Amino acid sequence: MDLDKIEQLVKIVENSSMLDFCIKEGGVKIEMSRRPNAETFVTAGAEPPVKVSVSQSQELEAEEEEMYIISPIVGIFYSASSPEEKPFVTVGDTVKAGQKVCILEAMKLLNEIESDFDCKIEAVLVSNEQKVEYGQPLFRVTPIID
């Protein structure tokens, strides 16, 4: 993995609502976190810095790390704008940053949920009209890095 790709990944994480991110490519594993910990000092009102760790592994693990688009609110999941319409996204679709992926209804308000980064939808993890919780994974995705 080259430096340009790593820089793109850092920008994606910084500009998204993701708290943790991990990717493996070949023998390189990159982990990023925006969560403050004992080693990180965060000033009041500042965004947590992105902490990046890169490790080389001799053996590739069988299971790759997974990424998700998660629910930012509690509400009811809708895959389309109406029952007669096609879903916004389906498994296998490529999604661009800012593209609408679903609607969450909360307190009679319809909130359009958009992807924070370019990705491919690997799985839809909730059913239409299902109640979802804050932080619940809605879609399993694979990031697309140019």
Side-chain angles (χ1 to χ4, degrees), residues 5-16:
K5 284 186 179 181
I6 294 171
E7 288 175 348
Q8 287 178 344
L9 288 172
V10 170
K11 287 179 185 175
I12 288 171
V13 172
E14 284 180 330
N15 296 323
S16 74

Side-chain angles (χ1 to χ4, degrees), residues 7-72:
E7 288 175 348
Q8 287 178 344
L9 288 172
V10 170
K11 287 179 185 175
I12 288 171
V13 172
E14 284 180 330
N15 296 323
S16 74
S17 60
M18 290 186 293
L19 295 178
D20 296 301
F21 174 79
C22 180
I23 188 170
K24 294 178 201 169
E25 187 175 294
V28 177
K29 178 179 177 182
I30 298 176
E31 295 179 60
M32 292 182 241
S33 178
R34 292 176 51 165
R35 298 176 191 269
N37 60 26
E39 301 169 23
T40 307
F41 177 77
V42 180
T43 58
E47 282 289 317
V50 175
K51 178 181 173 186
V52 179
S53 66
V54 180
S55 62
Q56 294 282 341
S57 63
Q58 297 297 332
E59 298 177 17
L60 294 178
E61 295 179 17
E63 188 175 317
E64 292 187 19
E65 295 291 325
E66 298 174 338
M67 284 190 58
Y68 301 93
I69 295 175
I70 60 170
S71 176

Side-chain angles (χ1 to χ4, degrees), residues 57-124:
S57 63
Q58 297 297 332
E59 298 177 17
L60 294 178
E61 295 179 17
E63 188 175 317
E64 292 187 19
E65 295 291 325
E66 298 174 338
M67 284 190 58
Y68 301 93
I69 295 175
I70 60 170
S71 176
I73 58 174
V74 174
I76 299 175
F77 175 88
Y78 293 103
S79 59
S81 55
S82 74
E84 299 82 32
E85 297 290 322
K86 293 184 345 185
F88 295 113
V89 295
T90 57
V91 173
D93 286 354
T94 299
V95 177
K96 296 286 184 190
Q99 182 177 335
K100 187 183 334 177
V101 294
C102 67
I103 294 175
L104 293 178
E105 178 185 356
M107 298 174 44
K108 304 291 182 192
L109 293 174
L110 300 177
N111 301 282
E112 295 179 348
I113 307 304
E114 300 174 346
S115 176
D116 291 331
F117 49 92
D118 295 351
C119 60
K120 180 178 178 183
I121 304 294
E122 297 295 329
V124 179

